[in-house]
Amino acid sequence: MTSLELLERIRSGSDVRTAQAELYGLVRAALLERLGKKIPPQHHARLEPEEVLRAAFLKALAHLEGFRAINEHSFLAWIYSIAKKMIADALELRTMATTFFPGPEAPKDPEASRASERPTGATARPARREWMESVLARLPPQEAQVLRLRQIVGLGYDQIAAAWDTTPEEVRKIYKRAWARFSALAVGEG
Amino acid sequence: MHSSKLFSERAAELAGLAAENAAAGRHAEAEDIYRLLLHLEERTLGSEHTDIGVTLRRLAGACRSQGKHAEADRLLRRGQQILDRAHGQHRAELKTTIQGPLTYWRRTGEA
């Protein structure tokens, strides 16, 4: 069966599980190897192509109602673009985590810090945090760092504490102070 | 840039980050961000805007996820009141808009 026929079966609700499994088989055969090449080898241990492909497939199925296939390749191209975006996001988060892991000795120049964090090329996020970044740049570097690591990268207080060689309680204090300062600046501007 | 567009872009940045934190289970951080967003919205949009109703409901969700049920209920009630009032007004406007044609159709026997 072709991907178009399988999509039709899924949409019509006829033997959905089998159709989904068959469709995933088609997607896997066409895309798994290509996706593997999109992930730099040093990230293979933590970012498996199969995992990404499955996540992209599930995401696509969840949004199937809005999808219109033009031809047999449309669904594959859609899954590929979702998976590539997932890889880019995951790599960007890792890059940010690495960039901000040097410890409490934060860079003295906030602009230098921002430059090292700025994503490039395919990994660039939409510029929807421009304003927040401009506010963060006005915080003391360590406070900006703790907000990025906690709210954007998503690290735990214990992870940040381990990287900074301090206690989670101390990180919490820095975070609290940083958020109070961020809020005051945001309110002042907003 | 027009100030209302600038505000909605800033609000969208905060709302997006809050939603990401909530989805990742960082509910305390999501609460912080929603509270800041709420403060900015109230100051800019007034206290009855539907966006505030939506933010209040999301903030209530972040509170409930941390076990702050009384606070969540309070926020949810306030958010729902704002949304109900806004929808009530919308229904009234809609009624006024369709009243003319309805009267005409009734008079001509089409309704």
Side-chain angles (χ1 to χ4, degrees), chain A residues 125 127-133 150-155 157 175 179 182-184 186-190, chain B residues 7 9-14 16-17 20-21 25-30 32-34 36 39-40 43-44:
Chain A
R125 253 177 198 280
R128 62 194 169 91
R129 292 209 177 112
E130 269 178 13
W131 170 65
M132 291 179 65
E133 282 297 334
R150 182 68 188 142
Q151 295 184 346
I152 299 173
V153 181
L155 296 183
Y157 291 112
Y175 174 85
W179 181 249
F182 180 94
S183 299
V187 168
E189 272 196 8
Chain B
F7 174 75
E9 284 183 6
R10 290 174 176 181
E13 286 186 28
L14 286 173
L17 185 62
E20 282 176 28
N21 275 269
R26 297 188 296 275
H27 301 293
E29 286 71 18
D32 283 345
I33 303 167
Y34 279 131
L36 173 59
H39 180 86
L40 295 176
R43 205 180 58 176
T44 308

Side-chain angles (χ1 to χ4, degrees), chain A residues 136-158:
Chain A
L136 283 172
R138 292 161 59 197
L139 297 183
Q142 193 186 25
E143 292 183 9
Q145 216 175 38
V146 80
L147 288 182
R148 286 196 186 97
L149 288 174
R150 182 68 188 142
Q151 295 184 346
I152 299 173
V153 181
L155 296 183
Y157 291 112
D158 50 343

